[in-house]
Amino acid sequence: MNPPLKFALFGAGGLAIAALVVTGADRVIERERTKAEINRLRDDLHRARISSDRCQGSLQTSEASLLDLGVTIDSLRNLVDSFETMNGRGVPAERYPAYLEVFDSYNDSVASWENREQRLRIAETSCRETIRGHNTLTDSLQVVLSEAGIDAG
């Protein structure tokens, strides 16, 4: 074989080997990038799950507390009503200080209930956003796993 032909064959072989190395390296880099993305999404998903669970737990506690306060308010309202219906002409003078104390407690409790109820609504909206973020991460992870050919079932 003549030297220019040998040189051309070696050159073509070298280019083919270089192309294979580059293609293989690209696959390895892509696989590592996908693995890193999956790990990042899993970590983010774990943190989002913790946030969602804490948020839901806090909402349940706040809601239970608000319901308890509602029971207290109903009891106070019943006491106020009983004072006001003791006799047909209103609260007797000797019972008026006790009536005012119950009435003030009732009014304070109603104001407290309204503030708590408003805070609960705000927290619920925030919690909904936290859960939405968690669900978005779940969807993103499933897409990446599916594209990587990994069964997420």
Side-chain angles (χ1 to χ4, degrees):
M1 210 189 259
N2 68 18
L5 184 60
K6 273 185 177 177
F7 184 71
L9 285 175
F10 279 127
L15 286 175
I17 289 172
L20 287 174
V21 168
V22 168
T23 302
D26 282 346
R27 285 186 185 151
V28 169
I29 290 170
E30 180 62 25
R31 190 174 20 225
E32 289 302 313
R33 187 200 63 75
T34 300
K35 191 187 307 182
E37 184 177 8
I38 289 170
N39 288 334
R40 180 190 59 78
L41 285 169
R42 282 184 176 156
D43 290 345
D44 290 350
L45 186 60
H46 178 71
R47 282 190 293 279
R49 167 58 67 195
I50 290 170
S51 294
S52 294
D53 289 346
R54 285 183 181 159
C55 193
Q56 287 177 326
S58 177
L59 280 179
Q60 290 171 350
T61 300
S62 295
E63 186 177 3
S65 176
L66 189 62
L67 292 172
D68 288 345
L69 181 58
V71 169
T72 300
I73 289 171
D74 289 343
S75 295
L76 289 171
R77 180 70 224 170
N78 289 335
L79 279 173
V80 167
D81 289 346
S82 71
F83 273 110
E84 292 174 349
T85 58
M86 280 183 163
N87 68 30
R89 295 174 293 161
V91 179
E94 68 276 0
R95 305 282 292 155
Y96 202 73
Y99 166 76
L100 279 181
E101 187 176 322
V102 171
F103 188 78
D104 287 343
S105 291
Y106 170 76
N107 282 338
D108 291 344
S109 295
V110 168
S112 176
W113 186 90
E114 290 169 347
N115 289 334
R116 284 185 181 184
E117 190 265 344
Q118 184 179 16
R119 284 195 313 262
L120 181 61
R121 287 187 191 280
I122 291 167
E124 186 177 43
T125 299
S126 174
C127 210
R128 231 180 279 121
E129 290 303 314
T130 300
I131 292 168
R132 242 185 239 123
H134 170 270
N135 292 344
T136 299
L137 282 170
T138 299
D139 293 344
S140 295
L141 180 58
Q142 287 176 345
V143 166
V144 170
L145 290 172
S146 176
E147 288 174 354
I150 300 170
D151 181 24

